Amino acid sequence: MVDLETRELRYFVAVAEELHFGRAAERLGIAQPPLSRAIRLLERRLGVQLLDRDRRGVALTEAGRVLLREAATALDAVAAAARRTRRAADPQRPLVLVTKAGASHELLRRLLDAQAAEPGAVPVEVLLCEIGEQARLLRDGQADVALMHRPYDDLAGFDTEDLHVEGQVAILPAGHPLASRDRLTLADVSDVPDLPIARWPRLDGSYPEGPGPEVRTQSTLAQLVALGRTLLVIPASSRAWQWPEHVAVPVVDAPRVTTVLAWPSGSHSLAVASLVRSAAALRDTAPPADV
Amino acid sequence: MVDLETRELRYFVAVAEELHFGRAAERLGIAQPPLSRAIRLLERRLGVQLLDRDRRGVALTEAGRVLLREAATALDAVAAAARRTRRAADPQRPLVLVTKAGASHELLRRLLDAQAAEPGAVPVEVLLCEIGEQARLLRDGQADVALMHRPYDDLAGFDTEDLHVEGQVAILPAGHPLASRDRLTLADVSDVPDLPIARWPRLDGSYPEGPGPEVRTQSTLAQLVALGRTLLVIPASSRAWQWPEHVAVPVVDAPRVTTVLAWPSGSHSLAVASLVRSAAALRDTAPPADV
DNA sequence: CTCCTGTGATACCCGCCGGGTATGGGCCAG
DNA sequence: CTGGCCCATACCCGGCGGGTATCACAGGAG
């Protein structure tokens, strides 16, 4: 049995991501030789080669790729332990709810209002993040609960409560021929030559091949749409995209999107339970108009 | 931002579980004073009181309870990182499949046969565990894949493939009046005065109140049934209970149990994928007789 | 061919921190 | 009051994590 220390995992992650001992050491705030030694020791303790030191630079072995992935989640778990413990000790800790900026705006407003009206309401702090970040923020304890969207977000490891189902719309630059239609299909929007779909970075930061522009944030994407450089298909209730230059047209055969409230499974927080109750009541009493 | 080391977490878990510095230190193989100091340092770094040192002994604070739970999952994640990394480096690593001893025996046999018949079959090692342990073994990397049972096992954090649905039977000592019936209901078996339901330990090791005998393993339970001291309700295909002194009677209104193949979500292992394919094919070509 | 540059590895030193022993001090039980 | 239990404090030591200086080696420029 080998007991890894989080320091070793942090060091390895830095080297594995930088693929360069010098830069990794700088990022960690230590010198390069101790880092080399630490990684070598880690390899010997595990009995596994993690890196191929080539003449020029460093490459991950298969085992190294596994450890990079596993170490990231393990470090998240450790960070979550610290954060949640501190939060638990804060008597007036607000509940942190994270959601994608601009998504499900109306629903969120109604949820916050409903929760605030509860007797003994726990204050709710709203944290906005970029697409796909909610899962990490929940996992590492920076947030207690999230609004997420099936089937797009990865809900593995979370308990969820469905809140709302809706269709999707294509966001187009006003003035584009497609913008005058009153309904579209996925076929209509999939291969528009002058509006290629934007490309998001993969987990490793690289971009898939394709003609569309590379984007990393919603705001850049919104501006690209306004400039007539790309189109996108999103849930009807998303509001981050309502620029004057934008037109929304329903896409009738796009998959329907379910907005869910998600929280780490096994969470014993009374505050989370209270919010979930509010959400369920909200959905049952006043279902928002579907699109 | 506080970076906890796994050593600190292990120390805290030991103290939190033992609620006694001396015993915790002994369990950790260190002396008591350094342990006291380490815990005190941990509290100061977190800025949170984790333990109430009472006149006599130690009690967990609310924050301490949170950290105990979080630390356990974080340590599991770290251990999983080490184990999975080593496994990844082993060229002829077998795939480890864990299941409750005695459960879904036929299904498992057919699954192993089907997988062995695959071209390029990965060897599968079977690991048997007690009830409720599969999730931990999957989480901490001791197993790659598990047979689990909805709705009884906690499937949070795992991807699953449904394999089989079946009813449940009551296991009774032969000769008991109920044993001669050809069907039972939950009402029939819920309050039999001379056959009280056995009590399993909770996570903290304590037992719920009740008249039934306390059990910790399946084998003790099987013997208690044979002795006519308790009854139990289990999926029809479970085979650990087929002693000569046992009689199985269908319980018509018990919830139906789904046997699922489960693996850590996000697992990129080709071997797991291959086994899942085998399992799906198995189910589609030759569904086992339902009960 | 030579020299320079950039890379990770090695050698060696030092200070800190984790761990040990000895002991103190508060709080029951009797 | 007193002894015992249990955690905290005081103090020492050795190992390890981190630093600097340097080496070894591979390319590339000239």
Side-chain angles (χ1 to χ4, degrees), chain B residues 100 129-137 153:
Chain B
K100 287 185 273 277
C129 71
E130 287 294 326
I131 290 176
E133 283 192 302
Q134 292 114 307
R136 183 179 57 78
L137 293 170
D153 292 321

Side-chain angles (χ1 to χ4, degrees), chain B residues 128-212:
Chain B
L128 298 178
C129 71
E130 287 294 326
I131 290 176
E133 283 192 302
Q134 292 114 307
R136 183 179 57 78
L137 293 170
L138 272 189
R139 260 190 287 116
D140 75 4
Q142 291 190 55
D144 303 296
V145 63
L147 283 183
M148 300 177 76
H149 297 87
R150 247 199 338 258
Y152 296 115
D153 292 321
D154 176 16
L155 298 176
F158 303 128
D159 287 342
T160 59
E161 177 86 24
D162 287 7
L163 295 185
H164 179 50
V165 180
E166 64 189 325
Q168 299 196 65
V169 296
I171 303 292
L172 301 159
H176 189 276
L178 287 177
S180 58
R181 308 266 292 270
D182 65 346
R183 54 209 296 269
L184 292 167
T185 65
L186 284 176
D188 291 331
V189 301
S190 65
D191 275 314
V192 186
D194 57 337
L195 292 178
I197 302 286
R199 290 171 294 138
W200 290 89
R202 286 185 278 248
L203 288 179
D204 60 4
S206 71
Y207 286 87
E209 292 294 311

